[in-house]
Amino acid sequence: MKNKRRIEVLNEKIDDLCKGYDDIPWGKNEYLAQDKEKFELIYKEIKKIKKQEQKYSCCYCNVSLIESHEMIIDVEHILPKSIFNRMTFVLDNLSISCKRCNMGIKNDDLSFFNKNKSEFEKINDEKKVGLSSDYKIIHPNLDNIYTYVHREEISIDGFKLTLFKLNSNGKGKYHKSYFQLGEITRSCLDAIQGIEPRKNYLRASSIDLLKGDDGLVHR
Ligand SMILES: [Zn+2]
């Protein structure tokens, strides 16, 4: 099926799913039992479309997801669905990312968004992602990541070294710092030197999200 038609069919399915709800539920558990399966199928379809669009790589750190298990590829909501519930199925607000960038770093944080809290309700109601300049980070659908950042992987004596080259200032610099891409390079260098790579990129807020029912952090 051509992509345009696929998206039309998908949007019809989404409209059908959301019918009968006062507001758009953003999480699986907010749907009635009989709709949960539909919800999951729609998410699967979104993932398929976005994986292709994103060339099977994380929209933020550009790591290849080709060999990744489905479970560790997230449908990423650039404006978080927990705050912008009506953007849950807005394709321009969606992409795919790795768990490090999504759950480890970004989560529900909005410090990268150049809009005031007072405008959130209107944005949510209108379901509009806005302009590239509304985002300090490289937006997966409004920007081209390769204009700003290039991920390169080289092999040294069997060790992989990941480097990020900035093509220009502006968003690339902020994006690299926000997603702590330099930490990836530093961890590679640690590994080459026989030091256990650091994994100190988790934001404080994300640790709570990773806590299981037992209160322990599961990564
Ligand atoms: Zn990533």
Side-chain angles (χ1 to χ4, degrees):
M1 212 187 310
K2 285 249 169 65
N3 226 22
K4 205 177 154 202
R5 180 70 196 129
R6 246 169 97 187
I7 290 170
E8 273 171 19
V9 171
L10 177 65
N11 280 329
E12 281 163 20
K13 284 184 194 164
I14 291 168
D15 286 346
D16 179 55
L17 173 72
C18 297
K19 236 182 254 165
Y21 291 91
D22 290 337
D23 208 345
I24 298 171
W26 55 271
K28 182 183 164 192
N29 293 330
E30 305 207 348
Y31 286 90
L32 297 170
Q34 68 264 28
D35 288 340
K36 283 187 185 178
E37 203 179 323
K38 267 195 222 169
F39 174 82
E40 277 182 351
L41 285 174
I42 286 171
Y43 250 66
K44 250 190 199 166
E45 181 67 13
I46 290 175
K47 214 183 206 183
K48 221 193 259 177
I49 291 172
K50 288 292 168 185
K51 272 199 293 196
Q52 209 155 20
E53 260 181 33
Q54 199 56 44
K55 302 181 178 71
Y56 297 82
S57 61
C58 170
C59 63
Y60 299 128
C61 73
N62 215 226
V63 70
S64 171
L65 298 170
I66 283 181
E67 293 174 60
S68 301
H69 190 278
E70 276 305 305
M71 292 281 286
I72 68 153
I73 304 176
D74 286 340
V75 171
E76 158 64 5
H77 292 75
I78 295 107
L79 293 178
K81 59 187 190 302
S82 56
I83 301 167
F84 298 87
N85 68 310
R86 294 184 176 208
M87 312 282 266
T88 301
F89 299 111
V90 173
L91 294 178
D92 282 348
N93 188 45
L94 305 178
S95 194
I96 55 155
S97 72
C98 70
K99 288 253 184 272
R100 174 193 181 272
C101 292
N102 182 14
M103 288 188 73
I105 294 179
K106 189 168 157 289
N107 270 321
D108 291 344
D109 179 56
L110 274 168
S111 58
F112 62 84
F113 195 37
N114 287 329
K115 294 279 183 187
N116 287 327
K117 222 175 171 180
S118 58
E119 298 171 83
F120 288 2
E121 209 178 311
K122 189 171 175 270
I123 293 164
N124 192 33
D125 284 345
E126 290 178 351
K127 298 200 270 185
K128 291 256 166 51
V129 296
L131 306 168
S132 163
S133 56
D134 295 332
Y135 300 81
K136 293 190 187 92
I137 55 169
I138 299 164
H139 191 289
N141 302 313
L142 301 173
D143 299 306
N144 179 355
I145 189 165
Y146 304 107
T147 311
Y148 302 98
V149 180
H150 258 277
R151 182 185 179 113
E152 275 183 22
E153 280 167 9
I154 54 172
S155 197
I156 300 173
D157 293 337
F159 285 100
K160 300 257 186 324
L161 176 62
T162 306
L163 299 165
F164 295 90
K165 287 187 183 164
L166 299 185
N167 287 350
S168 59
N169 287 326
K171 278 197 171 189
K173 205 171 166 194
Y174 181 90
H175 188 91
K176 188 179 171 191
S177 154
Y178 184 89
F179 286 102
Q180 300 172 40
L181 302 181
E183 282 297 314
I184 297 176
T185 304
R186 272 189 285 279
S187 294
C188 292
L189 291 170
D190 282 349
I192 291 169
Q193 291 176 77
I195 304 165
E196 184 73 15
R198 290 165 274 195
K199 279 190 180 161
N200 54 355
Y201 48 78
L202 292 178
R203 285 192 202 283
S205 61
S206 36
I207 292 188
D208 285 334
L209 276 176
L210 295 174
K211 274 184 188 161
D213 293 334
D214 52 8
L216 298 171
V217 174
H218 300 276
R219 289 178 194 168

